[in-house]
Amino acid sequence: MKVLAVNAGSSSLKFQVYEMPEEKVLISGLFERIGIDGSYTIKYQGEKNKKDVSLPTHKEAVQILIEELKNYHVVEDMAELKGVGHRVVHGGDKYADSVLITDEVVKVLEDLVPLAPLHNPANITVINVFRELVPEATQVAVFDTGFHQTMPIENYLYPVPYEWYEKYSVRKYGFHGTSHKYVSKRCQELLGKDDAKIIVCHIGNGGSISAIKDGKCIDTSMGLSPNAGIMMGTRAGDIDSSMILYMKNNAGMSVEEIDNALNKKSGLLGISGVSSDSRDIEDGVKEGNERCALAQKMYVRKIVNYIAQYYVLLGGADAICFTAGVGENSKGTRSDIISSLACLGIKIDPVKNDVRGEETLISTEDSTCKVYIIPTDEEVMIARDTYAFAQK
Ligand code: ADP
């Protein structure tokens, strides 16, 4: 059965077509700069093909995608595409699992827009376009927030007036759930233990840390929005909330400008003044740039603080897993993080750690906790859930 996994951003659309249940990727691609000018790249049988085209809206991207699936003979007729799975950023507290998309679900997603004003609108647009253009296919929503719905209330509430939660749904939701689920499940398999205590470090441009026990999320570092928790590429993560009023009163900035700076001009970029990309930060450190060194030190510190917190919350850990762009690729960052955990007896082997993007056990034999690199695969999770619904 052929199933399409779609991940739409405000100006981009990533896709992968799978042959299920084999989980074989038949074709993949990325549409970029939607609403600006437009281009797309298709990867088919190891070859990449890039084209510049006009993409005024997501609809044109989906139309081209459908044409290209036929051009590449991935499908001869769109009726062969039995399922379309959509990554949806915010499911609020409505969805702990993936859901079959109906008119009612689309209405709920619209109601959730205030919680994810930057992300959910693009997801809804693309869902509507696929429902119109491929009406026969089973459409499924897979939520970034879903996996975190098992957190106990004392871990997801903020200590603010209770009515904020009751009336405005102010609480921690957590994000990157599909990745945390994939990595922790894979780690359970590697450990051969369903009740394992696992700390997943999903560190890419965005980043979040999760504490998982018995396959369930107990706590996670992102919050009401994805700008909470650890320091990220351009996001500040946890800050003192009074900073917002202070900057409004003293720097003459509007709340929107401050929010924009906390999302887009902070993190590694804000501290280094050089870049949000950890590769540039590492180069800067090598060249003796002090602000890059400070940014790296702070970045590692924030991650270590969460790992330590979750180690205690879980009552120890069977494994720490690194995933996403930085976690999978940066041996220096992994090594800096684990060195800071030496007092817990956690150690990695520098030779085993000298890898990029490969599933590897990098801890030493005598480490008190196993440390893995597990490359994430959010798309395959979307395809699996979509396949499950399409079979029904
Ligand atoms: P996103 O949150 O956008 O999905 P990714 O998980 O793709 O981000 O991670 C992107 C980040 O991964 C880049 O910004 C970069 O900092 C980091 N990265 C990628 N390759 C390397 C590498 N070889 N060394 C260090 N960092 C890397």
Side-chain angles (χ1 to χ4, degrees):
M1 181 194 293
K2 292 186 178 81
V3 161
L4 172 68
V6 180
N7 181 352
S10 55
S11 67
S12 68
L13 189 157
K14 271 191 241 170
F15 73 91
Q16 248 153 347
V17 178
Y18 287 86
E19 184 66 53
M20 297 300 281
E22 298 83 356
E23 301 186 352
K24 183 175 175 227
V25 178
L26 302 177
I27 191 166
S28 64
L30 169 66
F31 289 80
E32 290 174 284
R33 300 178 63 83
I34 299 170
I36 307 166
D37 37 32
S39 71
Y40 68 97
T41 309
I42 299 235
K43 211 169 137 193
Y44 180 72
Q45 295 185 346
E47 274 184 35
K48 268 191 186 176
N49 199 338
K50 185 168 179 182
K51 280 187 194 160
D52 290 326
V53 283
S54 166
L55 296 174
T57 69
H58 286 82
K59 184 163 185 174
E60 287 77 13
V62 177
Q63 281 166 333
I64 294 173
L65 164 53
I66 289 172
E67 280 313 305
E68 290 290 22
L69 294 186
K70 291 184 204 154
N71 292 343
Y72 279 94
H73 301 287
V74 174
V75 293
E76 300 305 329
D77 186 303
M78 283 313 282
E80 287 172 50
L81 191 71
K82 299 291 183 203
V84 182
H86 300 265
R87 174 193 177 205
V88 177
V89 169
H90 219 307
D93 55 10
K94 303 279 186 303
Y95 302 112
D97 284 311
S98 302
V99 66
L100 184 71
I101 297 173
T102 59
D103 291 343
E104 200 188 327
V105 170
V106 173
K107 170 80 183 61
V108 174
L109 298 184
E110 282 164 358
D111 292 343
L112 289 170
V113 165
L115 281 172
L118 302 176
H119 297 98
N120 271 28
N123 299 149
I124 296 167
T125 304
V126 171
I127 286 170
N128 286 334
V129 171
F130 271 102
R131 291 184 86 202
E132 180 194 332
L133 299 180
V134 199
E136 302 301 321
T138 302
Q139 311 264 341
V140 176
V142 181
F143 299 96
D144 257 29
T145 47
F147 182 60
H148 303 303
Q149 279 295 306
T150 50
M151 284 187 288
I153 187 162
E154 65 273 22
N155 290 352
Y156 71 66
L157 270 197
Y158 293 109
V160 296
Y162 197 77
E163 311 86 81
W164 292 15
Y165 167 57
E166 289 178 309
K167 286 195 192 149
Y168 302 102
S169 308
V170 170
R171 51 160 286 181
K172 179 189 276 197
Y173 291 97
F175 298 87
H176 296 137
T178 313
S179 175
H180 287 285
K181 185 175 177 182
Y182 174 86
V183 172
S184 56
K185 194 160 175 268
R186 185 73 199 119
C187 182
Q188 283 180 336
E189 286 164 10
L190 293 169
L191 293 168
K193 208 174 163 191
D194 288 344
D195 61 351
K197 299 182 224 175
I198 302 169
I199 298 172
V200 175
C201 305
H202 175 112
I203 45 176
N205 188 30
S208 60
I209 319 286
S210 282
I212 293 139
K213 190 169 181 297
D214 300 326
K216 292 194 171 73
C217 177
I218 309 295
D219 204 353
T220 191
S221 62
M222 281 182 166
L224 173 71
S225 84
N227 189 10
I230 61 169
M231 174 172 164
M232 300 172 229
T234 63
R235 291 178 227 161
D238 296 339
I239 53 153
D240 178 348
S241 57
S242 326
M243 200 184 293
I244 297 169
L245 189 60
Y246 178 85
M247 288 304 286
K248 180 171 178 283
N249 291 340
N250 291 283
M253 293 169 81
S254 68
V255 170
E256 286 73 21
E257 283 170 336
I258 299 165
D259 187 63
N260 186 51
L262 291 172
N263 271 294
K264 300 199 172 137
K265 296 177 187 166
S266 299
L268 288 173
L269 174 66
I271 296 298
S272 71
V274 171
S275 171
S276 61
D277 193 304
S278 81
R279 285 164 288 202
D280 298 334
I281 302 298
E282 285 176 20
D283 289 347
V285 175
K286 278 186 210 134
E287 288 156 14
N289 182 315
E290 285 179 13
R291 292 257 303 270
C292 285
L294 177 62
Q296 177 68 9
K297 214 172 178 177
M298 288 173 65
Y299 183 70
V300 168
R301 172 53 43 207
K302 307 290 178 195
I303 294 168
V304 169
N305 288 351
Y306 267 100
I307 297 177
Q309 189 192 132
Y310 290 164
Y311 191 88
V312 174
L313 176 71
L314 291 168
D318 293 296
I320 295 172
C321 305
F322 287 106
T323 196
V326 181
E328 290 168 28
N329 294 300
S330 175
K331 62 177 176 182
T333 302
R334 288 191 302 257
S335 162
D336 289 349
I337 292 168
I338 299 299
S339 307
S340 303
L341 296 165
C343 67
L344 298 175
I346 306 171
K347 289 181 230 162
I348 53 171
D349 177 333
V351 177
K352 291 184 193 162
N353 184 39
D354 194 8
V355 288
R356 285 183 50 188
E358 266 175 54
E359 192 174 279
T360 320
L361 176 69
I362 58 172
S363 45
T364 57
E365 291 269 326
D366 64 342
S367 174
T368 51
C369 160
K370 291 203 159 55
V371 183
Y372 289 101
I373 300 168
I374 300 182
T376 194
D377 195 341
E378 293 161 278
E379 289 74 18
V380 85
M381 296 295 274
I382 297 173
R384 282 177 196 170
D385 283 0
T386 307
Y387 174 65
F389 276 102
Q391 268 188 316
K392 283 178 190 167

